[in-house]
């Protein structure tokens, strides 16, 4: 019945690992989106014109990153996990370093922003395809709605935490701890992705609970 079908994902331990990974994905994306322009103005002293150019750079790359991520999943790896690991492991050093760039190093800053735009967005398509690949079509809508609903809390919480992590260094805003936070969130997403299983389960297997374990 309908309840038995719903239990297919509610009793699957990997579903909750997936929710954490999605939470982290959205936390990184919206945390950066919310604070990037302020970071460029306050830490790097940019005027509005400069800020507009630098703040838009990651999103130009994001367009290609999303398409490449989808292509890698469909044509190369045939699953989400490798794309997710490339994306999240790539985010860790790039985001960490981004917060340490000295004022005036605009070339390095631009390169890191472009790389961040690539790695932050690489897994955006594949992560949403996970539910469709793992669960039967009868419950995909419910599983997607629940996971995305909880995952969107990352979009809400991350900018708030980032705001608390901005410090004042000699009268100038210092965002280094904000990007350390984004790096840690990326590491959590990488760990959850490493543990995820993508093997399809059907509604009639819902009587057993799936326990997270490594499936590399």
């Amino acid at each position: 019945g309908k309840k038995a079908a719903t239990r297919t994902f509610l009793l699957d331990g990997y579903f909750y690992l997936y929710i954490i990974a999605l939470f982290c994905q959205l936390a990184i994306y919206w945390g950066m989106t919310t604070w990037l322009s302020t970071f460029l103005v306050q830490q790097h002293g940019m005027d509005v014109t400069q800020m507009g150019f630098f703040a838009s750079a990651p999103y130009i790359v994001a367009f290609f990153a999303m398409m490449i991520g989808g292509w890698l999943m469909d044509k190369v790896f045939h699953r989400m996990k490798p794309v997710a690991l490339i994306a999240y492991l790539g985010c860790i050093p790039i985001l960490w370093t981004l917060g340490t760039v000295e004022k005036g190093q605009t070339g390095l800053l631009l390169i890191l922003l472009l790389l961040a735009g690539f790695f932050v967005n690489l897994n955006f398509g594949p992560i949403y395809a996970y539910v469709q690949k793992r669960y039967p079509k009868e419950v995909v809508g419910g599983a997607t709605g629940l996971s995305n609903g909880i995952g969107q809390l990352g979009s809400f919480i991350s900018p708030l935490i980032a705001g608390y992590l901005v410090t004042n260094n000699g009268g100038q805003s210092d965002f280094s701890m904000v990007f350390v936070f984004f790096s840690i969130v990326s590491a959590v997403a990488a760990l959850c992705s490493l543990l995820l299983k993508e093997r399809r389960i059907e509604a009639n297997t819902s009587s057993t609970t799936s326990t997270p374990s490594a499936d590399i």
Side-chain angles (χ1 to χ4, degrees), residues 58-208:
Y59 301 98
I60 297 168
V61 178
F63 171 78
F64 298 100
M66 289 182 187
M67 292 196 295
I68 291 169
W71 176 79
L72 286 172
M73 180 176 177
D74 289 343
K75 304 296 184 183
V76 180
F77 299 117
H78 307 292
R79 54 199 189 120
M80 183 196 79
K81 184 185 293 189
V83 183
L85 289 174
I86 292 168
Y88 300 137
L89 292 175
C91 280
I92 296 169
I94 289 163
L95 294 177
W96 191 295
T97 308
L98 190 55
T100 67
V101 178
E102 296 291 333
K103 185 176 178 179
Q105 293 185 313
T106 51
L108 177 60
L109 180 64
L110 181 60
I111 290 169
L112 288 170
L113 285 171
L114 292 171
L115 288 171
F118 180 81
F119 285 103
V120 168
N121 291 281
L122 184 66
N123 195 44
F124 234 114
I127 199 168
Y128 280 109
Y130 175 83
V131 170
Q132 298 172 53
K133 288 181 69 70
R134 181 151 176 86
Y135 303 113
K137 62 182 180 180
E138 294 84 4
V139 298
V140 164
T144 302
L146 180 60
S147 58
N148 196 41
I150 298 173
Q152 289 292 345
L153 289 173
S155 311
F156 168 71
I157 293 170
S158 177
L160 296 177
I161 294 174
Y164 281 108
L165 292 174
V166 179
T167 58
N168 193 291
N169 186 7
Q172 183 178 338
S173 297
D174 184 349
F175 285 74
S176 57
M177 289 308 299
V178 175
F179 287 94
V180 169
F181 164 64
F182 293 153
S183 298
I184 293 169
V185 174
S186 302
V188 173
L191 178 61
C192 291
S193 301
L194 179 66
L195 296 173
L196 274 179
K197 279 190 176 179
E198 296 182 70
R199 191 178 301 112
R200 188 168 184 82
I201 56 175
E202 301 300 336
N204 61 8
T205 65
S206 62
S207 59
T208 58

Side-chain angles (χ1 to χ4, degrees), residues 10-85:
L10 290 179
L11 295 180
D12 179 26
Y14 297 102
F15 179 67
Y16 300 97
L17 275 177
Y18 166 73
I19 287 176
I20 297 171
L22 181 59
F23 178 98
C24 292
Q25 168 87 36
L26 294 171
I28 299 162
Y29 179 85
W30 286 108
M32 274 199 64
T33 298
T34 302
W35 283 100
L36 185 57
S37 58
T38 308
F39 161 70
L40 293 171
V41 171
Q42 294 188 1
Q43 183 160 320
H44 289 276
M46 293 187 176
D47 59 31
V48 174
T49 306
Q50 273 184 307
M51 180 274 288
F53 171 73
F54 277 79
S56 65
Y59 301 98
I60 297 168
V61 178
F63 171 78
F64 298 100
M66 289 182 187
M67 292 196 295
I68 291 169
W71 176 79
L72 286 172
M73 180 176 177
D74 289 343
K75 304 296 184 183
V76 180
F77 299 117
H78 307 292
R79 54 199 189 120
M80 183 196 79
K81 184 185 293 189
V83 183
L85 289 174

